[in-house]
């Protein structure tokens, strides 16, 4: 019997075969009825295979949702708690399968590094109980022209899982110091943290992230001291090039981070000057209690979830009480307030808009030339209807200071999309994705690429981007209105009705945040027209529009 049973409709036989081959490359046994001529002749064989399999992978398509065999197999898998599903054409999933996460793989031809496919394999590994899965062969990301490195998630050796956030913070800080060097191409820490706990060969990680070097490490925090062990690995060969151990008190943890980063940089390339990195490194705060609270808040703030954002703000309020001049705590608070102004309770909107402005203005007063502060401030003020041309200048300055800051490239991209500079905007968002290929910000990258595609009249491309974005971050307020506009322009009545109903349920039609994003009059008009077309295809419920 097989690990994975694949259920599909005949029109998606090529995708089913590609999925089977990719899973076999990962070491799984797969059952695929590609040699069967008709389901009804093999009912008992199919039932036996489905029952014995550890996972049932259902490939949804317009044909599959109408197939009684696919529906029956999917229902059996759901009842047995072993269902994994993906969609290849964005067809509306039948109930109750629309209540379960479904990976979007529109246009997929077998790329093992596609984000949707990585989601599928992660789910399969979790159900089967595998803790290690080799990455399947696939097209590698091109190596940049200058030395490239990914700082892998530092292992927490403190014996307390609650201290994982500290190890993650150390990973992000060392990455930040390295990224300020113009001689290095550094993958954002948001793309390496998802690899925590996965045992992958250095060659596989190098292919997945498109880097030449990996910095691996561990953190042990105990008795007021912290010890970091690091090693520099050449990804292609797996050779350990350099190893070192650092130790210091928690009172001087930032100096420790600087020493780790400078040591790694010097080991990579003799042309990287220690002084350059040390000048660029900034000590964010001298208060370790404030820093600890900030790290806890940071782990909550990366989602677009109002409850988690509110909890992050409570932690940041305590952090700022301990150190009122801790710039990063102010910028993160501004980000959380702006997110709540967009998706939180309507009665608190004015409060969050006011506090978002106050927080980033305070951060800019404290650190007017910090690239991270400049980019986050531009992000926050852009969400609050700040002057995009002025904000674009802020982000351009941030990129002059730190060309490797993925967040700044993303903010630069969506600001340019708003201004109608679509080609440049797309280019900058793609640059952010290359610097952070596995980032938790992926749904927001996809949402803005979808908006840009819609503004260019590429409605089918926009649907693919926006569908995956909505699956990953269903509360992000820009996605559903633009997706509805796409369906309106395409005349897809069923999808338009579903999307408009969901929008009405969340109050998205009556809240203007998403529909005022495009500042180019022609593009903004097309967005409003698309939403109106979608509403005309949806049943009337006296919605407030």
């Amino acid at each position: 019997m097989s690990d994975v049973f694949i259920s599909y409709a005949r029109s998606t036989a090529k995708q089913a075969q590609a999925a089977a081959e990719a899973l076999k490359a990962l070491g799984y046994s797969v059952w695929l009825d590609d040699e069967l001529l008709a389901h009804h002749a093999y009912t008992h064989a199919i039932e036996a295979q489905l029952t014995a399999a550890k996972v049932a992978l259902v490939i949804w398509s317009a044909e599959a949702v109408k197939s009684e065999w696919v529906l029956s197999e999917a229902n059996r898998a759901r009842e047995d708690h072993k269902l994994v599903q993906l969609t290849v054409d964005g067809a509306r999933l039948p109930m109750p399968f629309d209540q379960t996460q479904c990976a979007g793989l529109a246009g997929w031809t077998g790329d093992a590094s596609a984000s949707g496919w990585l989601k599928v394999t992660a789910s399969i590994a979790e159900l089967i109980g595998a803790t290690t899965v080799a990455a399947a062969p696939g097209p590698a990301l091109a190596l940049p022209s200058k030395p490239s490195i990914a700082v892998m998630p530092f292992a927490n050796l403190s014996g307390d899982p609650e201290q994982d956030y500290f190890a993650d913070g150390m990973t992000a800080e060392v990455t930040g110091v390295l990224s300020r060097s113009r001689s290095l191409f550094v993958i954002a820490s948001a793309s390496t943290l998802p690899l925590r706990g996965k045992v992958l060969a250095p060659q596989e990680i190098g292919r997945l992230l498109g880097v030449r070097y990996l910095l691996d490490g561990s953190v042990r925090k105990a008795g007021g001291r912290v010890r970091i062990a690091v090693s520099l690995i050449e990804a292609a060969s797996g050779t350990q090039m350099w190893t070192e151990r650092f130790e210091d008190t928690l009172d001087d943890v930032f100096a420790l981070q600087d020493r780790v980063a400078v040591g790694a940089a010097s080991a990579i390339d003799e042309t990287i000057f220690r002084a350059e990195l040390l000048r660029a490194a900034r000590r964010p705060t001298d208060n370790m209690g404030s820093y600890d609270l900030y790290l806890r808040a940071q782990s909550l703030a990366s989602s677009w979830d109002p409850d988690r954002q509110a909890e992050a703000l409570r932690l940041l309020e305590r952090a700022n009480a301990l150190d009122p001049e801790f710039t990063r705590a102010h910028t993160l608070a501004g980000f959380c307030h702006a997110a709540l102004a967009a998706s939180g309770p309507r009665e608190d909107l004015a409060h969050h808009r006011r506090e978002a402005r106050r927080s980033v203005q305070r951060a800019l007063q404290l650190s007017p030339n910090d690239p991270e502060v400049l980019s986050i401030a531009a992000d926050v003020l852009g969400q609050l209807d700040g002057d995009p041309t002025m904000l674009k200048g802020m982000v351009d300055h941030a990129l002059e200071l730190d060309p490797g800051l993925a967040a700044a490239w993303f903010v630069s991209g969506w600001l340019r999309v708003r201004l109608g500079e679509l080609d440049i905007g797309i280019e900058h968002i793609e640059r952010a994705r290359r610097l952070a290929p596995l980032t938790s910000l992926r749904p927001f990258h996809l949402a803005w690429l979808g908006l840009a595609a819609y503004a260019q009249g590429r409605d089918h491309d926009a649907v693919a981007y926006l569908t995956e974005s909505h699956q990953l971050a269903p509360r992000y307020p820009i996605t559903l209105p633009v997706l509805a506009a796409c369906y309106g322009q395409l005349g897809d009545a069923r999808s338009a009705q579903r999307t408009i109903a969901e929008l009405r349920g969340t109050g998205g039609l009556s809240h203007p945040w998403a529909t005022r994003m495009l500042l180019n009059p022609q593009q903004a008009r097309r967005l409003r027209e698309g939403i109106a077309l979608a509403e005309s295809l949806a049943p009337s419920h006296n919605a407030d529009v």
Side-chain angles (χ1 to χ4, degrees):
M1 295 301 175
S2 304
D3 293 322
V4 183
F5 175 102
I6 299 182
S7 176
Y8 65 101
R10 291 300 166 191
S11 61
T12 56
K14 288 184 179 180
Q15 292 94 329
Q17 188 62 48
E21 294 302 319
L23 290 172
K24 289 175 183 176
L26 292 171
Y28 296 119
S29 56
V30 179
W31 192 83
L32 182 71
D33 65 344
D34 52 344
E35 297 182 1
L36 303 184
L37 298 178
H39 270 88
H40 65 268
Y42 300 91
T43 301
H44 296 300
I46 290 174
E47 184 175 10
Q49 292 286 350
L50 177 58
T51 300
K54 298 174 183 176
V55 173
L57 174 62
V58 176
I59 300 176
W60 291 111
S61 63
E63 181 185 352
V65 299
K66 300 174 184 177
S67 166
E68 62 179 79
W69 284 102
V70 174
L71 289 169
S72 177
E73 291 162 359
N75 190 58
R76 177 71 65 86
R78 186 181 65 85
E79 291 176 348
D80 292 346
H81 306 290
K82 59 183 181 184
L83 173 65
V84 175
Q85 51 187 11
L86 63 88
T87 175
V88 295
D89 60 8
R92 183 181 184 183
L93 271 60
M95 297 175 61
F97 305 105
D98 58 351
Q99 302 301 309
T100 301
Q101 186 179 40
C102 180
L105 280 168
W108 187 69
T109 57
D111 180 6
S113 64
S115 63
W117 182 248
L118 292 175
K119 187 192 304 182
V120 169
T121 56
S123 297
I124 291 173
E126 183 177 346
L127 286 170
I128 291 178
T131 57
T132 66
V133 178
L141 290 173
L143 290 173
S145 58
K146 55 186 177 181
S148 51
I149 185 170
V151 182
M152 302 308 296
F154 281 25
N156 169 28
L157 302 183
S158 303
D160 178 7
E162 294 295 323
Q163 294 297 317
D164 282 350
Y165 76 91
F166 186 85
D168 290 346
M170 184 67 68
T171 306
E173 293 296 339
V174 171
T175 302
V177 174
L178 285 173
S179 71
R180 294 187 180 104
S181 169
R182 295 177 182 270
S183 300
L184 282 176
F185 182 97
V186 184
I187 293 294
S189 60
S191 275
T192 61
L193 291 176
L195 298 178
R196 175 187 294 284
K198 293 181 172 61
V199 181
L200 298 172
Q203 295 87 345
E204 295 160 351
I205 299 172
R207 180 193 63 79
L208 184 63
L209 298 177
V211 293
R212 192 179 302 279
Y213 303 102
L214 307 175
L215 187 69
D216 207 2
S218 63
V219 176
R220 186 186 300 275
K221 189 173 78 163
R225 299 187 67 81
V226 60
R227 176 183 297 168
I228 302 177
V230 293
S231 57
L232 182 68
I233 300 167
E234 184 182 45
S237 65
T239 303
Q240 183 172 284
M241 303 173 59
W242 169 77
T243 184
E244 189 63 83
R245 227 167 61 167
F246 303 87
E247 185 172 352
D248 214 324
T249 66
L250 286 171
D251 293 335
D252 207 15
V253 69
F254 302 114
L256 186 57
Q257 293 163 355
D258 296 345
R259 285 159 51 201
V260 173
V262 171
S266 299
I268 295 169
D269 193 328
E270 293 181 357
T271 63
I272 298 171
F273 297 102
R274 295 171 182 254
E276 178 186 348
L277 290 178
L278 288 173
R279 280 197 303 271
R282 286 185 175 82
R283 183 181 296 261
T285 179
D286 290 320
N287 189 299
M288 289 299 102
S290 182
Y291 182 62
D292 188 83
L293 290 164
Y294 165 78
L295 289 179
R296 293 176 190 270
Q298 191 176 47
S299 68
L300 295 169
S302 59
S303 69
W304 203 274
D305 181 285
D307 293 336
R308 291 170 66 85
Q309 298 280 0
E311 177 59 25
L313 283 173
R314 286 189 283 272
L315 293 170
L316 292 168
E317 184 177 357
R318 292 165 55 194
N320 281 324
L322 292 173
D323 182 359
E325 296 189 354
F326 185 7
T327 305
R328 292 188 192 178
H330 288 294
T331 54
L332 188 59
F335 176 83
C336 292
H337 280 297
L340 286 168
S343 59
R346 299 279 73 78
E347 61 271 17
D348 296 334
L349 188 148
H351 164 74
H352 288 303
R353 289 174 65 88
R354 182 174 61 254
E355 288 302 306
R357 285 195 182 89
R358 186 189 64 80
S359 295
V360 297
Q361 286 169 355
R362 177 59 177 153
L364 288 169
Q365 289 174 353
L366 291 169
S367 302
N369 292 307
D370 185 310
E372 185 176 332
V373 170
L374 287 166
S375 59
I376 295 177
D379 186 352
V380 170
L381 295 174
Q383 294 181 47
L384 303 177
D385 299 326
D387 178 10
T389 303
M390 178 196 72
L391 301 178
K392 188 172 68 171
M394 289 174 59
V395 178
D396 288 345
H397 184 43
L399 288 170
E400 289 174 2
L401 296 167
D402 186 354
L405 188 58
W409 283 108
F410 173 50
V411 176
S412 176
W414 74 255
L415 283 172
R416 282 167 166 82
V417 170
R418 289 197 67 193
L419 289 166
E421 301 170 13
L422 300 178
D423 290 338
I424 297 176
I426 291 170
E427 178 186 341
H428 286 194
I429 295 172
E430 292 291 3
R431 179 71 176 271
R433 294 177 71 190
R434 179 61 186 90
L435 286 165
L438 300 180
T439 177
S440 60
L441 296 178
R442 178 177 174 79
F444 315 129
H445 293 167
L446 292 169
W448 282 93
L449 287 173
L451 178 57
Y454 177 83
Q456 291 179 326
R458 297 185 291 115
D459 299 325
H460 286 287
D461 291 340
V463 167
Y465 285 128
L466 295 162
T467 300
E468 184 178 354
S469 173
H470 187 54
Q471 290 169 350
L472 295 171
R475 297 197 182 192
Y476 193 46
I478 195 174
T479 311
L480 278 176
V482 186
L483 194 55
C486 291
Y487 292 136
Q489 298 286 359
L490 293 170
D492 185 342
R494 188 175 182 183
S495 297
Q497 290 169 7
R498 182 187 72 245
T499 307
I500 289 294
E502 189 173 353
L503 264 172
R504 287 170 176 160
T506 61
L509 280 174
S510 60
H511 183 49
W513 189 83
T515 54
R516 66 171 184 251
M517 286 295 101
L518 291 175
L519 299 181
N520 178 285
Q522 183 178 352
Q523 294 162 4
R525 183 168 57 253
R526 186 172 191 269
L527 179 58
R528 291 192 296 271
E529 289 173 352
I531 295 173
L533 285 170
E535 289 184 272
S536 70
L537 296 172
S540 175
H541 293 291
N542 296 320
D544 176 14
V545 297

